[in-house]
Amino acid sequence: TKLWCIKEICLIIPILNTLQKRIVALSEKHIESIMPGYTHLQKAQPITFAHWCLAYNEMLLRDKLRIDDTLKRTSINPLGSGSISGTAYNIDREQLAKWLSFNTATSNSLDSISDRDYLIELIATATISIIHLSRLSEDLIFYNTEEANLVELTDKITSGSSL
């Protein structure tokens, strides 16, 4: 399970990096593009589109920091812990960890066999990222409406149906 989580985390990190780069590039094109800032769907203070973009860059930065921390805590090898108190085989757990691309081996076999923290942490971290992406999507959907009319989304990613 830990190896699967590590693999998935390693897929998430470049996606977050790419999204951040694209958001920063978009913001650089719109440093002087003024738009209304919204609060509770009401126009508020004027902001730049770049400022709006960089708010999401900040969220993604926090997401990346969380996922990096999750990777560190997940990348601890439990193998050799046995069913509760280790193994009778003469193995080098640190070497085994290196062979399997873990950062290190766990320290306590009793904790190792029951630890599921990394799963909860990965789910929580992914959920926070999904909430940020949902917020980004909702903003873009609103900004694309006839009322706001701030962006135009390509037909490749929109449809006229709620399906």
Side-chain angles (χ1 to χ4, degrees):
T1 307
K2 280 191 169 189
L3 290 172
W4 180 86
C5 288
I6 290 167
K7 182 180 145 231
E8 294 303 310
I9 290 169
C10 290
L11 292 174
I12 293 169
I13 291 170
I15 292 169
L16 291 174
N17 287 336
T18 299
L19 185 53
Q20 271 192 293
K21 286 177 187 171
R22 289 184 178 178
I23 286 174
V24 169
L26 184 61
S27 73
E28 288 170 347
K29 293 179 184 176
H30 292 280
I31 292 171
E32 296 184 22
S33 299
I34 305 296
M35 65 178 272
Y38 282 85
T39 179
H40 306 287
L41 296 178
Q42 300 295 313
K43 290 180 181 174
Q45 296 173 317
I47 60 172
T48 63
F49 188 67
H51 191 65
W52 176 84
C53 289
L54 293 175
Y56 286 96
N57 186 59
E58 291 294 318
M59 291 176 219
L60 292 169
L61 175 61
R62 289 191 306 272
D63 294 342
K64 246 175 41 178
L65 292 171
R66 273 189 288 274
I67 201 78
D68 287 342
D69 286 344
T70 300
L71 180 59
K72 288 175 194 165
R73 283 184 288 281
T74 303
S75 191
I76 302 174
N77 180 25
L79 296 177
S81 295
S83 62
I84 194 167
S85 61
T87 181
Y89 293 109
N90 185 17
I91 63 170
D92 181 343
R93 293 187 67 236
E94 289 297 331
Q95 184 60 55
L96 181 60
K98 288 178 185 165
W99 286 336
L100 294 172
S101 300
F102 285 100
N103 292 337
T104 190
T106 56
S107 300
N108 183 286
S109 61
L110 186 57
D111 177 59
S112 298
I113 57 112
S114 62
D115 174 28
R116 301 297 181 270
D117 296 3
Y118 64 95
L119 292 168
I120 297 165
E121 188 172 2
L122 178 54
I123 291 167
T125 299
T127 300
I128 293 168
S129 290
I130 290 167
I131 290 169
H132 290 152
L133 295 175
S134 174
R135 179 178 167 187
L136 171 67
S137 299
E138 183 61 31
D139 275 358
L140 290 172
I141 290 167
F142 174 69
Y143 293 163
N144 188 60
T145 63
E146 202 172 293
E147 181 176 318
N149 198 28
L150 294 170
V151 300
E152 186 175 329
L153 300 176
T154 175
D155 289 342
K156 290 179 183 178
I157 61 169
T158 62
S159 74
S161 171
S162 62
L163 297 174

